């Protein structure tokens, strides 16, 4: 099982400033297909989670370009170039390279 | 409209059973693997189970193996989770979630709450 570790677990950001979340897996997430199935989700308060980034760096439909993902192997990063008030919530990384699929613990983003 | 709507949650005693359902609409249900993901109160997300498009493959997280069974009815566009021998630690909101072609979970239902308590 791939254990996913996110840091930090919380961060407080001033609107307009950047934010970065790290996600490290205990095993390489490179699949035999050559793809890396590491994804990022945001759960806004009181809502279901929704997909932000799939396969490390691809923004899902409708996701603003201030969100970007990068990384490879076991180390991944989600960056928000300029945080907006609407970005508050809990961010999760998740791997679907191998079953059981696993999530990081979540990173709570608050606005200063 | 593309939609996933869960039902069947409720209060059940430890050791009891419950069957969750998820009604899909607005997309080709039989063209997607489908998942259940749960979230205990105030906690993070935990993937529970996945089923292949035709139901021929199923995978579970270790903590529910032998107790939970995922199934689907493509004719009815529905997904199910039969939960037996329920424990207090199974208390959570259960989400029905679609797998995309690229294996991300790209569509989530609103969730149904399951509470296991005497």
């Amino acid at each position: 099982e791939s254990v996913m570790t996110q840091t930090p677990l919380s961060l407080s950001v001033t609107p307009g400033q950047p934010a970065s979340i790290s996600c490290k897996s205990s095993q390489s997430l490179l699949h035999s297909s050559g793809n890396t199935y590491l994804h990022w989700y945001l759960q806004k308060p009181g809502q279901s989670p929704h997909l932000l980034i799939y396969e490390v760096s691809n923004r899902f439909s409708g996701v603003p370009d201030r969100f970007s993902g990068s990384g490879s192997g076991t180390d991944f990063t989600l960056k928000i170039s300029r945080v907006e008030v609407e970005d508050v919530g809990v961010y999760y990384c998740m791997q679907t390279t191998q079953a059981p699929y696993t999530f990081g613990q979540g990173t709570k983003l608050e606005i200063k | 409209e593309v939609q996933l709507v869960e039902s069947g949650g409720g209060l059940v005693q430890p050791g009891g059973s419950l069957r969750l359902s998820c009604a899909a609409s607005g997309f080709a249900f039989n063209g997607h693997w489908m998942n259940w993901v749960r979230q205990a109160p105030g906690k993070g997300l935990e993937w529970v189970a996945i089923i292949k498009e035709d139901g021929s493959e199923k995978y579970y997280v270790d903590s529910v193996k032998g107790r939970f069974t995922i199934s689907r009815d493509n004719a009815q566009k529905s997904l199910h989770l039969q939960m037996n021998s329920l424990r207090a630690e199974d208390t959570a909101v259960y989400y029905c979630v679609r797998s995309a072609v690229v294996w991300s979970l790209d569509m989530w239902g609103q969730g149904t709450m399951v509470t296991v308590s005497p």
Side-chain angles (χ1 to χ4, degrees), chain B residues 86-103:
Chain B
L86 282 161
R87 306 166 180 168
E89 55 264 36
D90 296 319
T91 294
V93 173
Y94 285 73
Y95 295 101
C96 169
V97 192
R98 185 179 80 173
S99 281
V101 173
V102 293
W103 297 110

Side-chain angles (χ1 to χ4, degrees), chain B residues 34-82:
Chain B
M34 295 295 298
N35 305 262
W36 288 99
V37 173
R38 67 184 179 183
Q39 185 170 36
K43 301 298 184 181
L45 301 170
E46 180 182 38
W47 174 83
V48 174
I50 189 171
I51 185 169
K52 193 177 179 179
E53 297 101 325
D54 63 0
S56 62
E57 294 182 38
K58 306 174 184 181
Y59 302 93
Y60 301 89
V61 68
D62 282 351
S63 59
V64 308
K65 282 180 182 176
R67 300 189 300 122
F68 289 12
T69 302
I70 188 171
S71 63
R72 65 192 296 161
D73 182 337
N74 285 342
Q76 297 294 320
K77 294 188 176 182
S78 61
L79 178 72
H80 305 283
L81 186 67
Q82 177 66 44

Side-chain angles (χ1 to χ4, degrees), chain A residues 37 41 43 48-49 55 96, chain B residues 39 95 102-103 105 108-110:
Chain A
Y37 299 115
Y41 300 84
Q43 186 173 30
S48 302
E55 287 189 88
T96 57
Chain B
Q39 185 170 36
Y95 295 101
V102 293
W103 297 110
L105 305 188
W108 297 63
Q110 87 288 347

